[in-house]
Amino acid sequence: MTADAPGTDGAPLLVLDGVTKSFGAVAALRGVHLALHSGEAHALVGENGAGKSTLVKILAGAHAPDAGAMTLDGQPLRLRGPADARAAGIAVIYQEPTLFPDLSVAENIFMGRQPLRGLRRIDTTAMNRDAERLFQRLGVRIDPTRPARGLSIADQQLVEIAKAISFDARVLVMDEPTAALSGVEVERLFAVARSLCEHGAAVLFISHRFNEVFDLCHRVTVLRDGAWVSSDRATDLTVDEVVRRMVGRDVASLYPKQDAELRDTLLEVRGLTRAGVFTDVSFSVRGGEIVALAGLVGAGRSEVARAVFGVDRYDAGEVLVAGRAVPAGNPGRAIAAGMALVPEDRRQQGLVMELSVERNATLARRRALSRLGLLLGAAERAEARHWTRRLQVKTSRLGAPVATLSGGNQQKVVLAKWLATEPRVLIIDEPTRGIDVGTKSEVHRLLSELAGEGLAILMISSELPEVLGMADRVLVMHEGRLVRELPRDEADETSIMFAATGQGATA
Amino acid sequence: MAHDSLYAAPPTAEAEPGAGRLASLRGLLGSWDVAVVAALVVAVLVASLTVENFATGRNAQFLLLDLVPLALIALPMTLIVITGEIDLSVASMVGLCSTLMGQLWLSSGLSLELICVLVVLLGAVLGAVNGLFVTGFGLPSLAVTIGTLALYRGLSFVVLGDQAVADFPADWTAAVVRTIPGTSIPVVVVPLLVLAVIFGVVLHATAAGRALYAIGNNDQAATFTGVSVARTKFWLFVVSGAVCGLVGILWTLRYASARGDNATGLELTVVTAVLLGGVSIFGGRGALLGVLAGVLLLGVLRNALQLADVDANALTIVTGTLLIASVVLPNAVADVRARLHRRRQRHPAAS
Amino acid sequence: MSLTDAGAPERAAGNAPSDPGRQRRGLTERLLAVRELSLLIALGLLVLVTTVRNDRFLSGQSVKDLLLGCAILVILAVGQTLVIITRNVDLSVGSILGLVAFATGSLFLSAPGTPWPVALVVGVALGALCGAVNGGLIAVARVPALVITLGTLYAFRGIDYYWASGSQINAADMPPSFLRLGNQTVLGVPVLFLVALVVVAVVGFYLRSYRSGRELYAIGSEPAAARLSGIPVGRRVFAVFVASGAFAGLAGVLYAARFGTLDAAAGTGLELQVVAAAVVGGVAIFGGSGSAYGAALGAVLLTTIGSSLAVLRIDPFWQQAVVGALILAAIGLDRVLALRVAARLRGRSAHGA
């Protein structure tokens, strides 16, 4: 179990002091302090959006902080790029693996640092052997000579881990490395991390899984809304206390879901299965109801939404809108059936960033707005104006590229695009991700209003306060399965968090 | 990345600096059409004043006759490039359609009208093969159409060898070069204009056109909006093939000769004209007006310099320089603007 | 204390009972080897069938012609491989070849006493300069290399024509020692082909055995990840275009030596043949995989097809069609193979976990 934090009294190895980073108008990190000591495993926890990944990117040299200082061994540390971070001895395991699919596993691990022999040639034999050793240490069996293409996510993550520990690194940053790993693999990883600590390295561990945090880490730092909340010895904390600090705000006033009259079932999903992604997911949503789909990142929530909407295919199960089956794998038919999906990733899936606000707002309605096959600017403009007004999109003009809008207004444009199709079922994935507080409550009021008008709303959200404030019912997913269903009055932070981390999974 | 939702760090991180550049780029490219049209006007004026014989009806006739095939192929090429793909096999499709027309005329005994219909259909089939490889098998269009470039050109030599079929009826070959009575504008400009209007309307004023831009900018977002990306691209390649069939007919009649090497190398000129016209090779951006102006600009410059006794082959310098300038300039200007902007921002802070 | 030190005791104590790297070639390499082997088999079959039909196909003169014929294409294809591996393409090689060939001729014309090694160096340097122009423009414009090199394809060719202005350089204008370079043989193998072999060996070795060579694959395989792992992407891509230009320059000099008669049209349209050779040779058009050996074999195969068709008395007009079909077959086959290998590897890792 948790050892006493070693060496926390001595001079820290790596210090972040008042690190601040903004992206446009949004502050991702506000004056964050963090001290990593040699030989300690340090957990960084926080809700989705608390700024953890931004912190990781700064440590990796991928982002430069706007303000604040970093020191390594008491020396000022300036990272101008990922190469600098490596040279300084900081290794990062990203949440999303960054491998070269065409190259062999061993090369992925040692790219740029391959062992050499005469004439500065790469010593492939030594490289494969070293890779093999790394895998032995991790206790996994991956052929170092096979290409990285086709590795499972878990194996990719293991290669990343092998890469990081192969470094001459003194600070190891792990951004949710365990999300895709099995229990045995996690144990192996922790054994390696502990042995690194014993040899004087510092490990920064980011995870949503509290049992892992308490299992591995000596100290725990909590971030909330980009700001530092606390750093304590793990032994002084409990899971409840950490959750309270992570959430730590007034929930009730922000999220005004009005009670709406519940009508007929509009969306029904039966036994939906996509091999290796989610299994046997069944639920229904009635008109006037907001059902939240909660769970950790990677639990399969967005994947369910994509399959329901037909973007991805599924292996088994069916989807019904108002009692009629919707054909699989065809978003066009889903739209025709009255479904709309506001996707998770606004930039990649929701918007065509280079096109104007107007074009984006009317993209899903482009056929309906045509007269005799012609789509005239006037019809689009009228439609776009109507919806951007209703949603109070703030833009200089409708012809402005949507990329120039703030995150909140971009999200409103996505909403406008889908509301314009007059859907009966609205699936909305992370409705307020990356938008400011004011716009957030506008979006919430709007969702409440839409439910009042009789829409069935399935809301995926990683933000607990939002889930608790908005949802009539909460479905919790864990590792591809629906594990809990909580009516509004039984749902609270702890019950959801426990189910989502796979602890109270008794449904 | 996925979990830092509230402040959307990575997305906005790229959005903000990028958005600034995009906006200024867009401002530039929005006016790129206008710039190309202006350059065209200037080129015509200067050439008329300084180059002997440029501003004559006869020259205009031949200038336009030369440009019609280029302009015709540029129409579907514009749409294809806007969706982020490319079709390098166009000139070979013209060649194959031309030799097939010759072979059919030589040996089938069919009427020329029927042969023309068949040739356009054949072009569509050739395009469908491209489309099938690209959308059905998921192969990169660049590689596929380099392959069919060689294949179709090879087949056009197989059809006729190094022979040429030249005995087309004189009234047909004369019809193609005839001008509209009272003007020096060739009649073939009329079908070009008709097609240009159709393509322009489809691209700029229909649901399908909106989908093309969406696909080119972000095919994921397009899919999420119910656009069938693969099917759309497939039909674009088919249309490209059919237009090449039509150009094959015009080319054959214009030169009264069906030969295996007809229109060799035309594909690169077409791509140049399209890019010069402001269509982004990344897809998602561009307009048909700019492309047509680009085609004309290319033609006018080459024609004028040729009349001014510059070696015809050396004129490729003009083509190349224009193409490079059209992609380097917008970026360079955006960079300078961004630098000035930053300096302006820094200045008050410093003082 | 460093993290690798943490593993040091193990390494020191490790007697490494199973040493996979030593016992067999890596799976990644084997997959590549499969591709090269299948090309060799195709080539062998082609030669065999042709020889059975006409035994003069393997006569000394015929083989010499064949090797002579493919040398220049091989050099260009190897240069192109460097570029394509980084997810770029260089369409200007045909024009660079033409320009350098004409420059070489002009050099001899204006300074008749120039020793041929000087001409060689000048030609390669001119090619490298053209490549630097490509690389520089790509860095400035931040647009795909396709567009820039399409532009320089025209520009270099135009300069060539402008310079030549209709004139022609004849073999009589060049020193005999230089022309011998183009036709001489060593033990029956043309010098030109030996030069090509050296180029293939050097580049193939470099790509496989040097860090910067492997980084080219990394860049083409996943540019974003390459940046994150600190690879100097911009510098490498620039260098690759300089190298491609230099190889085109070398090919230009050899072209001049081989044909003697030069006008500004030398090498026109060669660029697509070069890309075709690389693609047939298994170099993925979207970067990240392929080898110089494969590309060279692709070039040899394309050239041999041309010769065999003539020997087999198949209408030579079929040649280009066959090349086209071969390209389509090659990329289609690659796609099928990639899908199958991916499926198999997935299955394997599912069981292994």
Side-chain angles (χ1 to χ4, degrees), chain B residues 74 87 142 157 212 294 312:
Chain B
D87 184 353
L142 179 62
F157 282 117
L212 297 184

Side-chain angles (χ1 to χ4, degrees), chain A residues 290-312:
Chain A
I290 298 183
V291 172
L293 198 52
L296 298 178
V297 170
R301 299 166 302 164
S302 302
E303 289 76 5
V304 168
R306 290 167 59 109
V308 167
F309 191 63
V311 176
D312 292 341

Side-chain angles (χ1 to χ4, degrees), chain C residues 156-174:
Chain C
F156 295 152
R157 180 66 67 190
I159 294 170
D160 196 5
Y161 273 111
Y162 187 76
W163 188 5
S165 53
S167 69
Q168 205 182 57
I169 293 169
N170 297 312
D173 302 325
M174 284 186 259

Side-chain angles (χ1 to χ4, degrees), chain A residues 90-161:
Chain A
I90 300 172
V92 179
I93 299 170
Y94 294 98
Q95 208 174 358
E96 309 276 337
T98 52
L99 298 180
F100 307 111
D102 299 294
L103 299 184
S104 79
V105 165
E107 288 210 274
N108 266 286
I109 295 174
F110 293 106
M111 179 52 66
R113 308 172 292 119
Q114 296 96 333
L116 300 179
R117 50 189 173 139
L119 298 173
R120 299 189 55 74
R121 282 173 302 156
I122 293 170
D123 188 343
T124 314
T125 313
M127 181 171 76
N128 289 336
R129 191 185 53 218
D130 290 353
E132 187 86 9
R133 291 237 174 88
L134 286 168
F135 287 132
Q136 271 167 19
R137 255 178 93 189
L138 288 170
V140 292
R141 287 178 52 200
I142 299 175
D143 179 359
T145 66
R146 61 159 285 167
R149 191 186 300 283
L151 283 174
S152 70
I153 295 286
D155 285 350
Q156 289 181 41
Q157 199 60 268
L158 288 165
V159 174
E160 286 285 347
I161 291 164

Side-chain angles (χ1 to χ4, degrees), chain C residues 211-350:
Chain C
R211 282 181 180 170
S212 53
R214 303 312 297 175
E215 284 176 2
L216 300 184
Y217 286 94
I219 292 167
S221 192
E222 194 60 66
R227 259 178 219 104
L228 271 183
S229 40
I231 295 172
V233 175
R235 224 165 57 208
R236 294 271 180 274
V237 170
F238 180 80
V240 149
F241 275 95
V242 173
S244 169
F247 282 126
L250 173 65
V253 176
L254 298 181
Y255 187 96
R258 182 177 173 212
F259 294 103
T261 309
L262 298 169
D263 60 15
T268 302
L270 204 54
E271 54 280 342
L272 292 180
Q273 231 183 311
V274 172
V275 174
V279 168
V280 168
V283 180
I285 195 84
F286 276 174
S289 83
S291 74
Y293 311 120
L297 282 173
V300 174
L301 185 62
L302 291 192
T303 317
T304 312
I305 287 176
S307 313
S308 322
L309 289 182
V311 172
L312 291 174
R313 297 226 184 74
I314 296 175
D315 189 343
F317 296 117
W318 275 99
Q319 182 191 345
Q320 212 176 353
V322 172
V323 169
L326 206 59
I327 296 173
L328 292 178
I331 56 176
L333 200 69
D334 277 351
R335 174 85 179 158
V336 173
L337 280 180
L339 290 177
R340 282 186 52 183
V341 166
R344 221 182 63 210
L345 288 174
R346 238 193 312 277
R348 178 198 283 209
S349 59

Side-chain angles (χ1 to χ4, degrees), chain A residues 376-394:
Chain A
L376 298 176
E380 281 184 298
R381 215 161 304 133
E383 177 95 352
R385 192 173 296 134
H386 171 77
W387 285 101
T388 48
R389 265 201 200 135
R390 169 148 188 215
L391 297 182
Q392 297 172 330
V393 177
K394 290 181 196 70

Side-chain angles (χ1 to χ4, degrees), chain A residues 297-433:
Chain A
V297 170
R301 299 166 302 164
S302 302
E303 289 76 5
V304 168
R306 290 167 59 109
V308 167
F309 191 63
V311 176
D312 292 341
R313 297 202 156 268
Y314 43 84
D315 301 323
E318 58 179 340
V319 176
L320 300 99
V321 170
R324 296 179 62 172
V326 181
N330 189 334
R333 300 288 290 275
I335 294 168
M339 258 198 269
L341 170 64
V342 177
E344 166 187 30
D345 184 341
R346 219 170 20 240
R347 284 174 58 80
Q348 286 304 316
Q349 301 160 346
L351 292 171
V352 183
M353 298 304 277
E354 299 209 345
L355 292 188
S356 65
V357 172
E358 180 184 309
R359 288 283 169 85
N360 270 288
T362 57
L363 193 56
R365 287 263 294 157
R366 64 194 188 286
R367 292 209 186 278
L369 288 175
S370 301
R371 292 283 167 274
L372 303 171
L374 285 189
L375 182 54
L376 298 176
E380 281 184 298
R381 215 161 304 133
E383 177 95 352
R385 192 173 296 134
H386 171 77
W387 285 101
T388 48
R389 265 201 200 135
R390 169 148 188 215
L391 297 182
Q392 297 172 330
V393 177
K394 290 181 196 70
T395 170
S396 51
R397 56 198 172 86
L398 288 176
V402 78
T404 59
L405 268 56
S406 73
N409 282 304
Q410 287 180 0
Q411 184 71 333
K412 286 185 187 172
V413 173
V414 184
L415 275 164
K417 167 169 117 179
W418 287 112
L419 294 183
T421 65
E422 295 179 345
R424 287 187 288 179
V425 176
L426 176 65
I427 306 173
I428 183 162
D429 197 348
E430 302 291 359
T432 59
R433 168 174 289 183

